[in-house]
Every structure is written in C-alpha cells, then in structure tokens.
Amino acid sequence: MESKQEKKRDGALDGLRGLAALAVLWNHLGLERVGGVTAPTWTLWLADGTAAVMIFFVLSGYVIGLTTPFAAGPKDVGRYARKRVLRLLPLNLVGVLLAC
C-alpha cells in the first residue's frame, strides 16, 4: 500500500553525502598527516573540509526537497522543525557531553 506522500530516495546522492561527511570527519581528525607520514596524494582531496561541508549542505538541501513535494505552510515548517529537533538534539547533546 502506497503512502499519501511517497518519499523519494536516490542512493547515489546519499552515497555522495556520506563521502562528504567522511571527508569532514577526515579533516576534523587531521588524518591527512599521521605520525609524520603524509597520506597518498589521491586522498588529499579529503583534507579540504570546507568544500566537503558545502557539498554536504547543498546535497542535503536537494534531498530534503525530494522528500517534500508540496509547498510548505507555517504548520508544515513548524512540524518539520520539531521533528528535526527531536531527531538531532539528543545525539548532539550526547556528543557535546562526551566532548566535555
């Protein structure tokens, strides 16, 4: 049975978003140079975390657009924001507490 609002997924876009997220992590961890050894040249594109963040955000916006096929009204925006906060805040809080 199909739902009223069928969500579209694009595995290639999700994979590219995943690679961008890994590039950001790579950059934050400083893995381009570990123990005095520089990573192979073909991996150094990962060291540009700024580009990876931009790619991730642009693709995320596009994916959100794919999953929201209708024009959003004030109620829709509020519902979307609440769902995002409930999804992201607990994980973010755990991360901040672990970092402290």
Side-chain angles (χ1 to χ4, degrees):
M1 185 180 234
E2 283 187 22
S3 65
K4 192 167 92 173
Q5 174 187 341
E6 187 175 326
K7 295 187 178 186
K8 299 177 185 176
R9 300 290 301 201
D10 187 335
L13 285 179
D14 287 340
L16 190 55
R17 284 176 62 216
L19 282 176
L22 286 175
V24 172
L25 178 65
W26 180 277
N27 184 266
H28 283 304
L29 295 176
L31 294 178
E32 67 274 2
R33 188 168 182 83
V34 178
V37 176
T38 302
T41 306
W42 65 269
T43 65
L44 292 180
W45 70 273
L46 293 171
D48 188 5
T50 304
V53 168
M54 285 190 237
I55 290 169
F56 180 81
F57 282 142
V58 167
L59 289 176
S60 294
Y62 181 74
V63 168
I64 288 170
L66 286 178
T67 61
T68 310
F70 54 87
K75 284 184 179 181
D76 298 319
V77 172
R79 187 176 330 123
Y80 177 80
R82 277 191 296 281
K83 284 172 52 176
R84 286 288 156 236
V85 167
L86 288 174
R87 179 174 176 232
L88 298 175
L89 188 62
L91 183 59
N92 190 354
L93 185 61
V94 169
V96 169
L97 290 175
L98 286 174
C100 290

